[in-house]
Amino acid sequence: MEPGGPWRDPRQGYMYGLGSPMQMPAQQRSDPAAAGGVLKRSLGELERWQHQRQFAMQQELYMRAVRQRTAATSPAVSPLTSADIAAVLGGVPAQPFFSGSSLGGGLASPSSTLSSLTTASRAAMPLIQQHVQRQAPFLPSSAHAQAQAQAHALAVARVPAPSAAGSELSILQDLEKQLLGDDEEAEPAMSGTGSTVTSSEWEETIQRLNSITAVPSPPLYAEATPNNKNNYSAAMTGSPSNSSTSTASSSASCSPPISATTSRQLLSEAAAAIADGNLETAAANLATLKRAANPRGDAEQRLVAVMVAALSSRIAPTASASSQHLADLCGAEHHTGSQLLHDITPCFRLALDAANIAIVEAVAGHRVIHLVDFDINAPQHAALIQRLADRRVPGTCLQVTAVTDPTSPFTQSLAATLPGVGERLKKLAERAGIEYHFRMISCRAAEIEASKLGCEPGEALAVNLAFALSHVPDESVSPANPRDELLRRVRALGPQVVTLVEQELNSNTAPLATRFSDAYLHYGAILDALDSTVSRDSADRARAEEAVANMSANAVGREGADRLERCEVFGKWRARFGMAGFRPVALAAGIADQVMARAGAPPPGLVVNQENGVLRLGWKQRVVAVASAWR
């Protein structure tokens, strides 16, 4: 039979909550018929025994809540016996309340008569937990049991005995001194009895201890999950978990921040839910993500804000939202922001410079150069003028023809701004010693021909398609397939070179989930690059990031003909150019070094890779733009 089990010898009592059996004198009946048998104790003896147990629990609480003095600082005193303690507290018959030197034995189940002791037993737990928190506030959960065991062992301190000449008060004072002393604080001046706390203070402390109410103590280091968030807060603050104030504050203060991985997962699930028509799930995920979205935060937080806004536009689409998206993506403000984005983002700026190098090499020593451009980028043209001037060919003349499609929403708002752009470029060219002519032509893709563009014999013709083809619908939008039609018409012009610069992004025919994943990585790399290269308080950066928000809203927030900008990865562009009759022209072997030299000191995250005749420019692990040449 196990000694600590409830089936043990009933003549032995239990120190409930401490786990050590204690001996209780068995009450024998005077009834001869029951001689030698163990019978019930009288009510008076039971009440006196309960009083002793409560006092023992009070001593247990104090000894567990304070730290034992070391041998170097503790006075040399003899152990105080339980008889001495009983004598001080009013002549209660002394019973040993320790069994052995440790309190770590197995818990024994008390009888129902002793249930009143459970309050004091449970009240001991918060003090032990506080002691563990002071000693090791950042213990991992795996060390929790070990920490509690150490705290338990630390609590079992020996009680000092009084001096031979000490009175009852000195005995109590010595006991209090051993219990409440602190090695880390300076030692106060000792009185003759060695006590610094009066007996009245001791009595007040005993009164406070007796008023402790039993509350369930939560685990010290519980994992914060949606189901135990309030308990986790109570454990860390020492407050009961059923307190309404603690519960309300813990929901806001102890909610773990949403990590980048979690944000991406929730966004992916929202995109998949939208694709499946489960708008309630998508709305719930997006509502959760709004806590992590911060348009003024770091790159990850700004990306989450951009993607949440893009996906939210699909929850309850309206006609006004569609018209607003059209205005945001195709207006003059977005065009200006896009050009700023291409100019201040290293990947785009260097890709455009690579196209300029390909144009200059293709026209070689020609004096008259005719450049046909379907999307005038002022910074790119300014850099091209400088590179043509560096050739030092006397009498260089640059003829620029800007082609706009009257049916395209991207070019309709530019009619009023392009003439001003041409005037500024003309002044720049004149200062560089280059004759400059600028003209605008409005025609559809099917109407493009040499005579309409003003092509002349003997001139070197170059066509620039940088960021233009992604704005032209393809076969997935229109049966006429204006995109391939434009390529065929350009090839019929017989140019020396056709340059292509596009984002490495699949936002054309891919399903929503794929488009979202690609857009998340792509625009995340762009925002991170802006963080590393442009000051956060820059006005140009703010306008560029607004353009990024419009692009991402188009990529993941629109379907069908409403998705106006349709980017493709380079492999698909290569297939289209091949079907239109073009052959690739390898960029110069040293073009990567040339663009890097023009860029000056490259930022750490920039990656430039020349492979198979094309130049890929990326940020860290993501290819952002690809520059290529065709003929």
Side-chain angles (χ1 to χ4, degrees), residues 543-572:
R543 299 175 74 179
E545 291 197 1
E546 184 64 28
V548 170
N550 293 335
M551 293 174 181
S552 63
N554 173 82
V556 302
R558 298 298 163 188
E559 293 295 339
D562 288 341
R563 193 163 66 253
L564 301 175
E565 184 180 67
R566 291 174 167 266
C567 302
E568 293 184 314
V569 295
F570 178 71
K572 291 189 175 183

Side-chain angles (χ1 to χ4, degrees), residues 19-241:
S20 299
M22 69 157 272
Q23 301 296 327
M24 286 233 13
Q27 177 67 28
Q28 304 288 340
R29 273 195 196 178
S30 58
D31 187 356
V38 179
L39 302 178
K40 294 184 179 178
R41 294 180 289 275
S42 66
L43 179 61
E45 290 177 340
L46 181 61
E47 289 178 350
R48 183 165 57 255
W49 185 85
Q50 290 178 352
H51 181 72
Q52 291 176 292
R53 300 293 72 70
Q54 289 176 352
F55 169 73
M57 283 303 306
Q58 292 165 4
Q59 303 305 315
E60 170 73 1
L61 290 176
Y62 270 97
M63 284 184 287
R64 291 192 179 197
V66 298
R67 186 154 50 88
Q68 184 181 10
R69 286 181 179 271
T70 62
T73 57
S74 300
V77 291
S78 58
L80 185 64
T81 65
S82 57
D84 295 328
I85 298 174
V88 172
L89 295 181
V92 179
Q95 294 289 346
F97 58 92
F98 294 108
S99 177
S101 60
S102 173
L103 301 177
L107 288 175
S109 301
S111 65
S112 59
T113 310
L114 305 181
S115 61
S116 61
L117 297 180
T118 60
T119 297
S121 175
R122 289 196 302 267
M125 292 305 299
L127 294 177
I128 299 175
Q129 291 173 348
Q130 292 173 11
H131 180 83
V132 175
Q133 288 175 332
R134 289 197 302 268
Q135 297 300 321
F138 298 104
L139 281 176
S141 57
S142 61
H144 183 201
Q146 182 179 358
Q148 283 189 324
Q150 292 175 352
H152 191 83
L154 184 61
V156 187
R158 298 304 299 265
V159 181
S163 59
S167 62
E168 292 182 355
L169 177 61
S170 66
I171 295 174
L172 183 60
Q173 289 173 338
D174 284 336
L175 170 65
E176 172 274 323
K177 175 183 171 184
Q178 282 297 100
L179 292 175
L180 299 181
D182 190 352
D183 294 344
E184 297 178 357
E185 296 181 358
E187 291 284 349
M190 294 285 186
S191 64
T193 60
S195 174
T196 59
V197 181
T198 64
S199 59
S200 61
E201 292 173 338
W202 173 261
E203 292 173 359
E204 291 175 2
T205 304
I206 292 293
Q207 296 277 348
R208 288 195 299 270
L209 181 60
N210 288 333
S211 66
I212 293 177
T213 58
V215 294
S217 57
L220 280 176
Y221 301 101
E223 181 181 2
T225 65
N227 294 330
N228 71 351
K229 188 186 300 180
N230 295 337
N231 290 338
Y232 172 79
S233 174
M236 297 304 293
T237 61
S239 303
S241 61

Side-chain angles (χ1 to χ4, degrees), residues 102-433:
S102 173
L103 301 177
L107 288 175
S109 301
S111 65
S112 59
T113 310
L114 305 181
S115 61
S116 61
L117 297 180
T118 60
T119 297
S121 175
R122 289 196 302 267
M125 292 305 299
L127 294 177
I128 299 175
Q129 291 173 348
Q130 292 173 11
H131 180 83
V132 175
Q133 288 175 332
R134 289 197 302 268
Q135 297 300 321
F138 298 104
L139 281 176
S141 57
S142 61
H144 183 201
Q146 182 179 358
Q148 283 189 324
Q150 292 175 352
H152 191 83
L154 184 61
V156 187
R158 298 304 299 265
V159 181
S163 59
S167 62
E168 292 182 355
L169 177 61
S170 66
I171 295 174
L172 183 60
Q173 289 173 338
D174 284 336
L175 170 65
E176 172 274 323
K177 175 183 171 184
Q178 282 297 100
L179 292 175
L180 299 181
D182 190 352
D183 294 344
E184 297 178 357
E185 296 181 358
E187 291 284 349
M190 294 285 186
S191 64
T193 60
S195 174
T196 59
V197 181
T198 64
S199 59
S200 61
E201 292 173 338
W202 173 261
E203 292 173 359
E204 291 175 2
T205 304
I206 292 293
Q207 296 277 348
R208 288 195 299 270
L209 181 60
N210 288 333
S211 66
I212 293 177
T213 58
V215 294
S217 57
L220 280 176
Y221 301 101
E223 181 181 2
T225 65
N227 294 330
N228 71 351
K229 188 186 300 180
N230 295 337
N231 290 338
Y232 172 79
S233 174
M236 297 304 293
T237 61
S239 303
S241 61
N242 60 352
S243 170
S244 60
T245 303
S246 174
T247 301
S249 62
S250 65
S251 298
S253 61
C254 293
S255 298
I258 300 179
S259 66
T261 303
T262 303
S263 297
R264 181 179 178 184
Q265 180 65 27
L266 289 176
L267 284 169
S268 299
E269 292 174 358
I274 291 173
D276 295 338
N278 190 352
L279 300 184
E280 292 183 359
T281 300
N285 282 6
L286 295 176
T288 301
L289 285 164
K290 286 181 180 178
R291 297 200 307 267
N294 183 4
R296 301 179 182 274
D298 57 24
E300 183 66 34
Q301 293 171 327
R302 300 199 311 279
L303 175 63
V304 171
V306 165
M307 289 299 172
V308 167
L311 291 175
S312 297
S313 65
R314 302 191 57 153
I315 300 297
T318 61
S320 60
S322 180
S323 60
Q324 183 61 43
H325 171 69
L326 180 66
D328 290 342
L329 190 65
C330 303
E333 181 64 26
H334 176 76
H335 187 268
T336 302
S338 297
Q339 294 203 348
L340 286 171
L341 177 67
H342 297 157
D343 188 44
I344 66 179
T345 306
C347 300
F348 295 141
R349 183 176 69 251
L350 298 185
L352 291 171
D353 195 40
N356 287 344
I357 294 174
I359 292 172
V360 171
E361 291 186 348
V363 300
H366 284 79
R367 187 181 65 84
V368 180
I369 303 164
H370 188 180
L371 178 63
V372 177
D373 202 325
F374 290 84
D375 189 6
I376 297 290
N377 184 293
Q380 180 192 12
H381 278 244
L384 176 62
I385 290 173
Q386 184 60 49
R387 285 200 175 272
L388 289 174
D390 292 342
R391 298 186 314 158
R392 303 191 180 278
V393 175
T396 298
C397 175
L398 178 60
Q399 169 80 33
V400 176
T401 300
V403 181
T404 61
D405 185 349
T407 65
S408 172
F410 288 98
T411 59
Q412 292 176 359
S413 62
L414 301 180
T417 60
L418 279 178
V421 172
E423 286 298 323
R424 291 193 296 272
L425 291 174
K426 182 177 181 179
K427 293 179 180 179
L428 179 63
E430 289 174 351
R431 289 197 297 269

